[in-house]
Amino acid sequence: VGDVAGMGSDLFGSFGEASCAAMLVGASSPGLVAAGWAALMFPLTISGAGIVVCLVTSFFATNFCPVTREAHIEGALKLQLFVSALLMTPVVWWLSSSFLPTSFAVSGACATPTGAFACVAFGLWGGCAIGFITEYYTSFSYSPVKEVANACRTGAATNIIYGLALGYKSAIVPVFVVAFIVFGAHSLAGFYGISLAALGMLATLATCLSIDVYGPVCDNAGGIAEMCELHPSVREKTDALDAAGNTTAAIGKGFAIGSPCLVGLAL
């Protein structure tokens, strides 16, 4: 319940707030108002396009790059997020050039369709960067988690100290990424750009949330298999899926932390 309903409501709440913020700030621009309803609804077109892109991305895991070994599970989940961002980039470019006027003044800045596209792209790829950085510090495949595990050998005190220091260290790069997104988006389109960056970070929310809830679903499947007294090999497979899902769930936590910063600033 906490991983699926809690995280889902958190991310979709940020999504709704980002959409409202972008449309409200856009409605204050005489250029967007004069351009018509399509220009004002540009933020919602990003949301709608993201749903379609995430739907297409799901076929990469089932048809193009199916998982054949347990070691490939984590990579397949991360590939979903990267492919969704990659496919979303040209779609946003087409939307911005089709729906927005050639130039418009908004929140004290003179913006263009190219600038609006760059704002969305900042959020889109900045969110991926935050997610992958978070995954680096929480995955058993990389050195930080292995170093924390080694610190446990000398006692609980070293484990707590090393883990706390590593947690502080893991926040450094995401903070700079968010700062870069805010600076770049505000320079190009003011607070309208910041709200578009927040929408860009959440544009691939369907894929991100699917990755996030993968672990809990597999964990429940393993519990059902054990209660039904199925063959132990079934439990072994669900445990492998659960382990990979719990690792990639950290990507969703990164999105949940980064997007509210942009949404709160835009509001």
Side-chain angles (χ1 to χ4, degrees):
V1 173
D3 283 316
V4 179
M7 184 61 65
S9 61
D10 183 11
L11 287 170
F12 277 107
S14 298
F15 205 177
E17 292 159 5
S19 302
C20 292
M23 288 189 290
L24 284 173
V25 177
S28 66
S29 168
L32 288 178
V33 173
W37 190 251
L40 291 175
M41 292 296 106
F42 172 67
L44 292 185
T45 63
I46 299 174
S47 307
I51 296 174
V52 178
V53 167
C54 291
L55 183 63
V56 173
T57 303
S58 63
F59 289 101
F60 276 82
T62 56
N63 296 81
F64 299 106
C65 300
V67 177
T68 55
R69 295 172 55 192
E70 293 182 1
H72 297 163
I73 299 172
E74 185 178 341
L77 293 175
K78 289 189 291 185
L79 180 65
Q80 295 278 294
L81 187 63
F82 178 78
V83 170
S84 63
L86 190 65
L87 294 178
M88 191 67 190
T89 303
V91 172
V92 173
W93 168 262
W94 178 80
L95 290 174
S96 61
S97 59
S98 300
F99 287 88
L100 294 177
T102 54
S103 64
F104 56 95
V106 59
S107 60
C110 184
T112 61
T114 304
F117 159 73
C119 293
V120 179
F122 286 158
L124 184 65
W125 289 103
C128 285
I130 293 174
F132 288 135
I133 292 167
T134 307
E135 196 261 346
Y136 169 76
Y137 281 100
T138 55
S139 173
F140 58 86
S141 303
Y142 302 107
S143 58
V145 173
K146 295 178 181 178
E147 292 173 359
V148 173
N150 289 329
C152 298
R153 299 177 184 273
T154 54
T158 54
N159 179 27
I160 294 172
I161 294 171
Y162 194 92
L164 186 62
L166 192 63
Y168 287 145
K169 181 182 177 182
S170 67
I172 296 175
V173 178
V175 166
F176 278 100
V177 171
V178 173
F180 171 78
I181 294 172
V182 171
F183 176 77
H186 190 269
S187 300
L188 291 174
F191 283 99
Y192 186 65
I194 296 177
S195 59
L196 289 180
L199 270 177
M201 187 174 289
L202 296 169
T204 56
L205 179 60
T207 298
C208 175
L209 198 60
S210 299
I211 294 173
D212 189 61
V213 304
Y214 191 85
V217 171
C218 294
D219 189 22
N220 289 346
I224 294 172
E226 191 166 341
M227 287 186 291
C228 294
E229 299 181 356
L230 297 179
H231 194 272
S233 62
V234 178
R235 181 65 181 180
E236 293 175 3
K237 288 182 171 59
T238 57
D239 285 343
L241 296 172
D242 183 28
N246 288 336
T247 299
T248 53
I251 296 176
K253 307 297 188 294
F255 277 84
I257 294 170
S259 58
C261 297
L262 301 177
V263 174
L265 186 58
L267 288 174

